[in-house]
Amino acid sequence: MAKKPISFVLNGQDTSVFVEQGGNLLDELRRTVGDLSPKFGCGQGTCGACTVLINGEPQLSCLVLAERVEGQRIDTNGGLAEGPDLHPLQKAFVEGFAAQCGFCSSGMLMAAKALLDRNASPSRDEIAEAISGNLCRCTGYEPIIDAIVVAAENMRRRTT
Amino acid sequence: MSIEVKSFDTLRQASEVLGGSAQYIAGGTLLMRKVNYGDQSFNQLVQSTDPALKQIQSQGDEILIGAGVTMSEIMQHPQLQFLGEVARSVGGPAIRNMATIGGNLFAPRPYGDMATALLALDANLHWASGQQQSLEQFLERSDAARDIVHSISVRQPPTGAFQYLKVSRVKPKGVSLLTVAVLLNRENGRTGNVRIAFGGMAPEPRRAMAAEQALQGASLDESGIQRCLAACTEGMAPADDSLASSWYRNEVAPVYLKRLLLQRS
Ligand SMILES: Cc1cc2nc3c(=O)[nH]c(=O)nc-3n(C[C@H](O)[C@H](O)[C@H](O)COP(=O)(O)OP(=O)(O)OC[C@H]3O[C@@H](n4cnc5c(N)ncnc54)[C@H](O)[C@@H]3O)c2cc1C
């Protein structure tokens, strides 16, 4: 089957690739583009490890038909850091032991980023809701919620 | 197996190529799972960029919702606030950004929360072929002809007349063990026109007609709703699955219906 050329903006960079027809965005990001930050967990949208932002909104890249992102803006965990500086969310995850095996972190971070982009001081309940589609089997979630609270504080401090 | 994707400008064109090995893809939250797991029953995905899929229009108290409108879009739309709670109960935030109202009508149990709410609200389906049908008729016939739902029309319920409850084991996000939706108009403190729909109590969302009849003209209190509760599982065929046994669902359905009915009065 002929591959299809598509162009989109990945983490701020214009990106053009040939995608498999019927291929999902996660596979294309990982195999074709080489961005290994979104993870393949379940392939059913249940675990959230493949969460990326499409035009700023979290979506499950394993369930997105790759060719549908033509002209769209995609953000992944691979684009969060600025050079050597980790994003405040990434920093808070590391310092607060919000990652153990780390497999869910990439999706958690993107779900959290989508929340903080919209709401600079979320409550713990709002955070739990925002990450409710992301499974973590190590931490019991509390350290993740703590880390997002800390990151939000640090980001507010940075902007004031 | 490779999949071919076909895109059409209008839903009408898309609907003409459906059937056999071609499946229509909306938000893809259920269909892409099948693709990812190598489902061999189809090898073509049909999609459409028809702007009608995204329209939300009101005419009087009737609202026409394009089948491609997502749960998140419903939550954000000022005229769809009566469905906001229902949309919010579907999946997590990422699923809600993808899952469409049209796709929900075709979702097998334990899914179909929006369809359950729309059944209680007596929604109508407008097909790409131009045909119209009530959602209820559509749900009764599982062998419905393959066409594409273009939009869904629903009448905005009077304030406080619509109630919805989804029971799940995992909070805040979990699949439905059972879902109840009630549309209840009141006349002088007694119940007027009533529609009660259950999700998870049958293969498809289903009306509890015996319960509706028993509630007609009753007073909305503990004793007034007794007959309605006793009749609410009549004609149901709840699943026995890993979430709960059918016995359990039959036992708790009246309990949740009672909570829903009494919370309003
Ligand atoms: C992790 C996860 C959690 C979920 N949680 C819930 C939940 O809590 N509650 C719930 O109700 N559902 C849930 N779902 C199921 C699903 O996301 C929703 O039911 C959703 O609304 C389906 O819509 P879609 O656009 O993604 O459908 P698609 O996957 O695009 O399509 C599903 C089926 O419907 C058909 N179809 C779609 N649109 C039309 C149309 N307009 N006309 C004719 N046929 C059409 C397709 O051909 C296909 O057969 C969940 C799914 C996942 C993956």
Side-chain angles (χ1 to χ4, degrees), chain B residues 28-168:
Chain B
T29 58
L30 290 172
L31 209 49
M32 285 301 286
R33 284 175 154 186
K34 295 189 179 174
V35 172
N36 292 346
Y37 279 75
D39 191 315
Q40 302 290 313
S41 66
F42 58 94
N43 59 19
Q44 283 178 20
L45 291 177
V46 176
Q47 59 177 356
S48 173
T49 48
D50 200 323
L53 281 168
K54 286 284 179 192
Q55 71 176 355
I56 301 174
Q57 253 179 42
S58 45
Q59 300 145 327
D61 60 355
E62 188 144 289
I63 303 175
L64 196 69
I65 308 168
V69 170
T70 63
M71 299 301 151
S72 300
E73 286 161 349
I74 290 173
M75 285 161 62
Q76 283 155 18
H77 199 279
Q79 274 160 323
L80 295 178
Q81 286 315 296
F82 63 100
L83 289 175
E85 179 193 2
V86 183
R88 191 173 292 106
S89 79
V90 173
I95 286 286
R96 296 197 284 272
N97 287 332
M98 309 167 74
T100 67
I101 185 171
N104 205 270
L105 311 177
F106 297 85
R109 69 178 167 194
Y111 302 135
D113 294 322
M114 181 58 77
T116 303
L118 292 171
L119 177 61
L121 290 165
D122 199 8
N124 279 301
L125 309 187
H126 304 253
W127 295 88
S129 60
Q131 283 183 312
Q132 283 193 36
Q133 183 183 34
S134 69
L135 171 60
E136 187 170 356
Q137 279 171 334
F138 164 70
L139 291 171
E140 278 165 6
R141 300 184 36 209
S142 53
D143 60 344
R146 290 311 302 201
D147 187 0
I148 300 173
V149 174
H150 172 290
S151 42
I152 293 134
S153 60
V154 60
R155 187 158 284 158
Q156 169 134 22
T159 314
F162 175 68
Q163 300 269 338
Y164 171 82
L165 181 70
K166 171 175 170 177
V167 184
S168 52

Side-chain angles (χ1 to χ4, degrees), chain A residues 7-12 25 52-59 64 68-76 110 113-114 117-118, chain B residues 73 76 97:
Chain A
S7 300
F8 52 95
V9 179
L10 176 63
N11 297 322
L25 177 62
V52 302
L53 306 190
I54 301 185
N55 301 325
E57 297 294 339
Q59 294 201 17
V64 174
R68 284 194 173 174
V69 304
E70 168 69 38
Q72 316 281 304
R73 189 161 50 85
I74 317 278
D75 292 290
T76 68
M110 297 320 286
K113 176 162 193 303
D117 285 348
R118 241 188 6 255
Chain B
E73 286 161 349
Q76 283 155 18
N97 287 332

